[in-house]
Amino acid sequence: MYWLKYKKPEIFKKIKYSLHLPQYLSYIFSGVPLNEYTSIGCHTNLWNYETKDYQDWVYQEEIHKILPPIVSTETSLNMNYNGKRIKIGVGIHDSSSALLPYVRSIKKPFVLVSTGTWSIALNPFVDKPLTKEDVEADCINYMRINGKPVKSSRLFLGNEYKIQVNKLSEKFNVDKDYHKTVEFNYDVYFEVLQDFKHSFKWESFQDKDMPEKTKYLYNNFEHAYHHLMIELVKLQVDSIKTIADTQKIDRLYVDGGFTDNDIYIKLLSHYLRGMKLRTTKASLGSALGAAIAISDTKLNSKFLRKNYALKKHVPFIVND
């Protein structure tokens, strides 16, 4: 909008309302232009979490004049659509939506790690704004539907995993899907830990411990793969600790693609032994969260077990 105002002023003058994508989709069905907190507050420069209002620049630039009225994320419009009475929600940011079933069904503080191409650690239990150090560590704010911030850290984990696994598959001449069959092996893990050195040069991000180029220290895929996972999971642990005091929050939920990776889950449980690790599976988690946002249904502690294939994990035993 700011760019349009100064680069394409003739277009900007024609704008009656500017909508985020979820609110545009709601408008297509309802014909009512509305705004809601999560789409405004999730990693945009529009919202001030301390004043709970638009940033000063929005008013100074008069951008607020083309933003529709703000309503609660839980607002719905009763519409007659093709002869049926249905509720039309006003839209919700996908991360806020995916987080909602956890917030509604879990009573104690927790961290949720959503894994995939990006691995995003979410802490919905913060009451302080991001510090300069947080921002420098690539932390951002997502938002709960009540307007409270969700401190988050991002790691391009899935992308890097794919790059490195492809290289390992070529190096050891195995099928590109072979890594999916490799499970955690304590003996291999223990051997890899002997004289452990960081061996992988990352392509998706920088890390102070990575070498100038990748060094392959083993003569088989299994050992190299365990080594790769140790390094990646340690980065994941650091990402989690960036957004949460793991001594105070002792519940950790993981969803997404890495829940099927046996080594990832076992190592994460091992390195965060003080946290109770649970994995969940919900391919339609964001859609379900959006439905819950406009539903009167109350969730209880059994909800995740019934609908999200909730699974408990315990750390492996370390032999002296």
Side-chain angles (χ1 to χ4, degrees), residues 238-258:
D238 289 342
S239 176
I240 293 169
K241 290 184 175 180
T242 299
I243 54 98
D245 184 342
T246 56
Q247 301 299 316
K248 294 180 180 178
I249 298 181
D250 68 351
R251 279 167 169 73
L252 176 63
Y253 291 82
V254 179
D255 69 13
F258 275 98

Side-chain angles (χ1 to χ4, degrees), residues 171-172 191-193 196 199 216-220 223-224 227:
K171 171 70 177 177
F172 296 103
E191 290 170 17
V192 170
L193 280 190
F196 186 86
S199 302
Y216 297 106
L217 307 176
Y218 311 97
N219 57 14
N220 66 76
H223 280 69
H227 190 119

